[in-house]
Amino acid sequence: MAINWFKYSAPSTFYGLAGKLIPWFALPAAVLFVIGLYIGFFIAPTDAVQGEAYRIIFIHVPASILSMFLYLIMAGYAALGLIFNTRLSSMMASAIAPTGALFAFISLWTGALWGKPMWGAWWVWDARLTSELILLFLYFGFISLHASIDDPRRADRAAALLAVVGSVNVPIIYFSVKWWNTLHQGSTIKFTGTSMHVAMQQAMFITLVACWLYAIAVALTRVRSIILERERHTKWVADLAEVKA
Amino acid sequence: MNTLSVWQLLVLVVRRDLLLAMRRRADVFTTLIFFVMVVSLFPLGVGSEMELLRKMAPGVLWVAALLASMLSLGRLFSADYVDGTLEQMMLAPQSLSILVLGKMIAHWMVSGLPLVLIAPVLGIQFDLSVPAQGVLVLGLLLGTPVLSMIGGIGAALTLGLRGGGVLLSLLVLPLCIPVLIFGTGAVYAISAGLNEAMVSNLALLAAMLMFSLVLTPWVSAQALRISME
Amino acid sequence: MLEVSHLACSRGDHRLFSDLSFVLESGQIMQVQGENGSGKTSLLRTLCGFLSPESGKILWDGTDMRELAEDYFANLLYLGHHNAIKDELSGVENLRISAGLAGIALDDKQAVAALRRMGLKGRERLPTKVLSQGQRRRVALVRLLLGNAKLWVLDEPLAALDVGAVELVQTLIAEHLARQGMVIFTTHQPLEIAGMEMRRLSLS
């Protein structure tokens, strides 16, 4: 069956589609999150070296992975919007940014919580944590640039360019931070034991999927309100049942 | 009336911006004085223990250079934007990237080069050894143009926005982190006697300079077109 | 030949004009009319490529201006609200730079001669910040004497000018049209070109 993708690239049709899709992502996200955390907290065995404290990785690792992927996805959407001038892609980019920043923040927060029992300090200048901090700065840059430009079209395009420059820079930053870390012989977070217990793997995988589903559901919800705000003067918005009510 | 080649146009833009900077000399000096002041504040903040200062010197000088170059970035395009010159630049029959490159070069000569030249004097305050001084200056020489060029993208994106200066730093500073790391890394390496690491740090800086030279003028030109709308 | 077809332009949520089409041939002059805020300046800025139109096309000799890019700009002279001159620089310095940006190498003598023709004798080497508003506008207008741009896009060229300067601008435009040039402009003052049919485009 051929799907007409261009039909859904119009904000007016996508608005309805997104509304239908959200529950399909939100509900599984909630269920999987509960299951994943249950396995992680109650079934997975205690780590021989790190004790109970290691269990924070069931949140920390998915959050870190998501924050990095979301930046690239955001930059991808932004680039699409910049090149093909499609409004919906730019809206998706700005809908993803706060979620990405949230995951970067969670990753830092849980990293600090993990660091305290491991090294006796809330913050260590580990390469991955430092990169995560810089990633959070990049998200802030994107969000604040978008927020300070009044004209939405200029805001979309300017922020998109910044996101693309940022994504070119991300590998360089990551490499340079690792380089800096080895030069200064800083601490490195290493997961002890090469063989993770099966229950640990399951818990990690399930929470990761839950985080993905959550991110998609939230981005769709946010893009719906962005569409409403941008298209508030059009007829189709005025005709919506929820707007009339 | 003859037509200008790309090269002549580049020279024209650089000369114009230098001429303007000479007519507004105060701006050049404020950047330099800011740099000297920030660097001199550190010993007051952390104490005068020579061992500590020697260790901190490259980081302090580089961070101060980073902040000083942020100060003058706001002016890179704004004056030309306000008086309409930027519109004429966009209508130049040559590529806008060339003009932007010219402005970046002039910006570096006015706000980056003086920092490079004064760095050895400040290095003495921190009791840096002669080889370390040399590597520091070489690193700044390779790295400060990159700051001007990456900064140019931020300056173009924040053109005409309220609170542009702070926003500009917010956008540009994270992107400049690799320059900071390689620049200070080279000095640490020579101080620790790791000559190979020193060379590779400087080589990475040079690579970043080449990379920026090719890409940033074009990206900034695109950003300027976006900001002019 | 400049051909505009089905052009639409909006600022923010506000639609300025839509479905605007016209053709400007060599030797023709067109005045864009309309109230304040009707989009006169936006139209001229769209013709210069500063604004991208929401829909529609701008063709130069049959080719889209976006494709021509620099080759189109070489045919264009734009005079906006801003004078594009630096207060710190003298008239000669300003002129040589703005000529350079338009791709023209201008020596000192030529610059002085051009400024004198614009009625700035004796003020060629003063920093422009000591000049009056009208004199500064004259410095900006000197660009009309240089180069061989075929299409002039003039936004309020007569603002702040005295009677003598207005006459001079009218003469320059007449000469340009006689050379088969084209002019599209806005003005709030009367601008008459003897023996030329003035086309008018109303934005409302």
Side-chain angles (χ1 to χ4, degrees), chain A residues 91-113:
Chain A
M91 293 181 195
M92 277 305 283
S94 31
I96 291 171
T99 309
L102 177 72
F103 276 120
F105 180 74
I106 291 175
S107 158
L108 287 175
W109 188 267
T110 51
L113 286 179

Side-chain angles (χ1 to χ4, degrees), chain A residues 118-130:
Chain A
M118 297 317 308
W119 301 285
W122 292 110
W123 181 262
V124 286
W125 288 95
D126 150 74
R128 257 175 276 176
L129 275 184
T130 312

Side-chain angles (χ1 to χ4, degrees), chain B residues 102-214:
Chain B
K103 288 189 71 68
M104 286 168 166
I105 293 173
H107 176 265
W108 174 73
M109 289 170 84
V110 170
S111 69
L113 193 57
L115 307 189
V116 179
L117 297 178
I118 205 149
V121 180
L122 297 173
I124 292 172
Q125 285 190 321
F126 284 75
D127 194 31
L128 275 183
S129 67
V130 175
Q133 292 263 22
V135 173
L136 176 72
V137 170
L138 196 56
L140 283 169
L141 201 57
L142 291 169
T144 44
V146 182
L147 301 184
S148 289
M149 287 191 280
I150 296 180
I153 299 175
L157 284 173
T158 55
L159 201 59
L161 300 182
R162 50 201 143 67
V166 184
L167 183 62
L168 174 61
S169 311
L170 195 68
L171 306 186
V172 172
L173 284 175
L175 300 176
C176 292
I177 287 171
V179 181
L180 174 73
I181 289 175
F182 298 138
T184 52
V187 187
Y188 283 124
I190 188 91
S191 308
L194 303 165
N195 282 336
E196 265 175 46
M198 184 268 292
V199 171
S200 44
N201 269 300
L202 289 179
L204 284 165
L205 269 185
M208 285 203 70
L209 178 60
M210 290 299 140
F211 192 59
S212 312
L213 215 48
V214 175

Side-chain angles (χ1 to χ4, degrees), chain A residues 44-65:
Chain A
T46 309
D47 187 79
V49 184
Q50 308 189 18
E52 299 293 346
Y54 90 94
R55 290 183 198 276
I56 198 132
I57 60 162
F58 298 123
I59 299 172
H60 176 77
V61 173
S64 312
I65 294 175

Side-chain angles (χ1 to χ4, degrees), chain C residues 45-105:
Chain C
R45 291 174 61 83
T46 310
L47 290 180
C48 295
F50 301 143
L51 304 181
S52 35
E54 202 164 287
S55 60
K57 272 198 179 126
I58 300 167
L59 305 176
W60 177 255
D61 289 339
T63 318
D64 197 304
M65 62 166 276
R66 297 262 157 212
E67 280 169 45
L68 290 172
E70 279 92 29
D71 294 329
Y72 170 67
F73 298 148
N75 287 300
L76 191 73
L77 186 152
Y78 171 71
L79 191 81
H81 285 270
H82 301 296
N83 290 331
I85 57 173
K86 293 282 172 200
D87 284 349
E88 292 87 346
L89 303 183
S90 70
V92 171
E93 286 165 332
N94 265 307
L95 190 57
R96 292 185 67 183
I97 288 164
S98 51
L101 290 180
I104 307 155

Side-chain angles (χ1 to χ4, degrees), chain B residues 25 58 62 88 227:
Chain B
R25 252 161 299 191
W62 263 99
Q88 299 301 333
S227 294

